[in-house]
Short mmCIF file of all heavy atoms in Angstrom, two decimals:
data_model
loop_
_atom_site.label_atom_id
_atom_site.label_comp_id
_atom_site.label_asym_id
_atom_site.label_seq_id
_atom_site.Cartn_x
_atom_site.Cartn_y
_atom_site.Cartn_z
N ASP A 46 0.22 -12.97 4.16
CA ASP A 46 -0.97 -13.66 3.67
C ASP A 46 -0.66 -15.15 3.40
O ASP A 46 -1.48 -16.04 3.74
CB ASP A 46 -1.48 -13.02 2.39
CG ASP A 46 -2.87 -13.47 2.01
OD1 ASP A 46 -3.74 -13.60 2.91
OD2 ASP A 46 -3.11 -13.69 0.83
N ALA A 47 0.49 -15.45 2.87
CA ALA A 47 0.87 -16.83 2.59
C ALA A 47 1.07 -17.64 3.84
O ALA A 47 0.91 -18.88 3.87
CB ALA A 47 2.11 -16.90 1.73
N ASN A 48 1.43 -16.95 4.96
CA ASN A 48 1.65 -17.64 6.19
C ASN A 48 0.46 -17.62 7.16
O ASN A 48 0.60 -17.86 8.33
CB ASN A 48 2.93 -17.07 6.90
CG ASN A 48 4.17 -17.47 6.18
OD1 ASN A 48 4.39 -18.65 5.90
ND2 ASN A 48 4.98 -16.48 5.83
N GLY A 49 -0.70 -17.35 6.57
CA GLY A 49 -1.94 -17.52 7.35
C GLY A 49 -2.31 -16.35 8.23
O GLY A 49 -3.16 -16.53 9.12
N PHE A 50 -1.79 -15.16 8.06
CA PHE A 50 -2.17 -14.03 8.90
C PHE A 50 -3.47 -13.37 8.45
O PHE A 50 -4.00 -12.55 9.20
CB PHE A 50 -1.04 -13.01 8.95
CG PHE A 50 0.12 -13.38 9.82
CD1 PHE A 50 1.19 -14.10 9.31
CD2 PHE A 50 0.07 -13.11 11.17
CE1 PHE A 50 2.24 -14.48 10.15
CE2 PHE A 50 1.11 -13.45 12.00
CZ PHE A 50 2.22 -14.15 11.48
N GLY A 51 -3.93 -13.68 7.29
CA GLY A 51 -5.16 -13.11 6.79
C GLY A 51 -4.91 -11.93 5.92
O GLY A 51 -3.98 -11.14 6.09
N THR A 52 -5.81 -11.73 4.99
CA THR A 52 -5.67 -10.68 4.00
C THR A 52 -5.75 -9.26 4.60
O THR A 52 -4.98 -8.38 4.22
CB THR A 52 -6.75 -10.84 2.90
OG1 THR A 52 -6.65 -12.15 2.37
CG2 THR A 52 -6.54 -9.83 1.80
N ILE A 53 -6.67 -9.12 5.54
CA ILE A 53 -6.89 -7.77 6.11
C ILE A 53 -5.66 -7.36 6.95
O ILE A 53 -5.14 -6.24 6.76
CB ILE A 53 -8.14 -7.73 6.99
CG1 ILE A 53 -9.34 -8.31 6.23
CG2 ILE A 53 -8.41 -6.34 7.50
CD1 ILE A 53 -9.68 -7.55 4.97
N PHE A 54 -5.19 -8.21 7.81
CA PHE A 54 -4.00 -7.92 8.62
C PHE A 54 -2.77 -7.70 7.77
O PHE A 54 -2.01 -6.75 7.96
CB PHE A 54 -3.76 -9.02 9.69
CG PHE A 54 -2.55 -8.76 10.55
CD1 PHE A 54 -2.64 -7.85 11.52
CD2 PHE A 54 -1.36 -9.43 10.30
CE1 PHE A 54 -1.52 -7.56 12.35
CE2 PHE A 54 -0.28 -9.20 11.13
CZ PHE A 54 -0.37 -8.26 12.12
N ALA A 55 -2.65 -8.58 6.77
CA ALA A 55 -1.46 -8.41 5.86
C ALA A 55 -1.48 -7.07 5.13
O ALA A 55 -0.47 -6.42 4.98
CB ALA A 55 -1.45 -9.58 4.87
N THR A 56 -2.68 -6.67 4.68
CA THR A 56 -2.82 -5.38 4.01
C THR A 56 -2.50 -4.22 4.96
O THR A 56 -1.87 -3.28 4.58
CB THR A 56 -4.21 -5.24 3.44
OG1 THR A 56 -4.47 -6.35 2.55
CG2 THR A 56 -4.40 -3.92 2.72
N LEU A 57 -3.00 -4.30 6.21
CA LEU A 57 -2.73 -3.29 7.21
C LEU A 57 -1.24 -3.12 7.45
O LEU A 57 -0.73 -2.02 7.42
CB LEU A 57 -3.46 -3.64 8.48
CG LEU A 57 -3.20 -2.72 9.67
CD1 LEU A 57 -3.88 -1.37 9.43
CD2 LEU A 57 -3.72 -3.34 10.95
N MET A 58 -0.54 -4.23 7.65
CA MET A 58 0.89 -4.16 7.90
C MET A 58 1.64 -3.67 6.67
O MET A 58 2.59 -2.87 6.81
CB MET A 58 1.42 -5.54 8.33
CG MET A 58 0.96 -6.02 9.68
SD MET A 58 1.60 -4.95 11.04
CE MET A 58 0.18 -4.01 11.43
N ALA A 59 1.22 -4.09 5.51
CA ALA A 59 1.95 -3.69 4.27
C ALA A 59 1.73 -2.18 4.05
O ALA A 59 2.67 -1.49 3.67
CB ALA A 59 1.42 -4.47 3.08
N SER A 60 0.50 -1.70 4.25
CA SER A 60 0.30 -0.25 4.02
C SER A 60 1.01 0.57 5.04
O SER A 60 1.53 1.64 4.75
CB SER A 60 -1.23 0.06 3.98
OG SER A 60 -1.77 -0.17 5.18
N PHE A 61 1.11 0.09 6.30
CA PHE A 61 1.85 0.79 7.29
C PHE A 61 3.34 0.87 6.89
O PHE A 61 3.94 1.93 6.99
CB PHE A 61 1.74 0.06 8.66
CG PHE A 61 2.56 0.65 9.73
CD1 PHE A 61 2.17 1.76 10.39
CD2 PHE A 61 3.78 0.04 10.11
CE1 PHE A 61 2.93 2.34 11.41
CE2 PHE A 61 4.53 0.58 11.10
CZ PHE A 61 4.11 1.75 11.78
N LEU A 62 3.90 -0.21 6.44
CA LEU A 62 5.27 -0.25 6.03
C LEU A 62 5.50 0.64 4.80
O LEU A 62 6.51 1.35 4.71
CB LEU A 62 5.74 -1.66 5.72
CG LEU A 62 7.26 -1.80 5.48
CD1 LEU A 62 8.08 -1.31 6.68
CD2 LEU A 62 7.60 -3.25 5.11
N ILE A 63 4.59 0.62 3.85
CA ILE A 63 4.68 1.55 2.69
C ILE A 63 4.74 2.97 3.12
O ILE A 63 5.55 3.78 2.63
CB ILE A 63 3.53 1.29 1.71
CG1 ILE A 63 3.71 -0.03 1.02
CG2 ILE A 63 3.42 2.43 0.67
CD1 ILE A 63 2.50 -0.53 0.25
#
Side-chain angles (χ1 to χ4, degrees):
D46 192 43
N48 288 309
F50 283 92
T52 305
I53 309 301
F54 180 76
T56 303
L57 176 70
M58 291 294 104
S60 66
F61 176 79
L62 187 61
I63 288 168

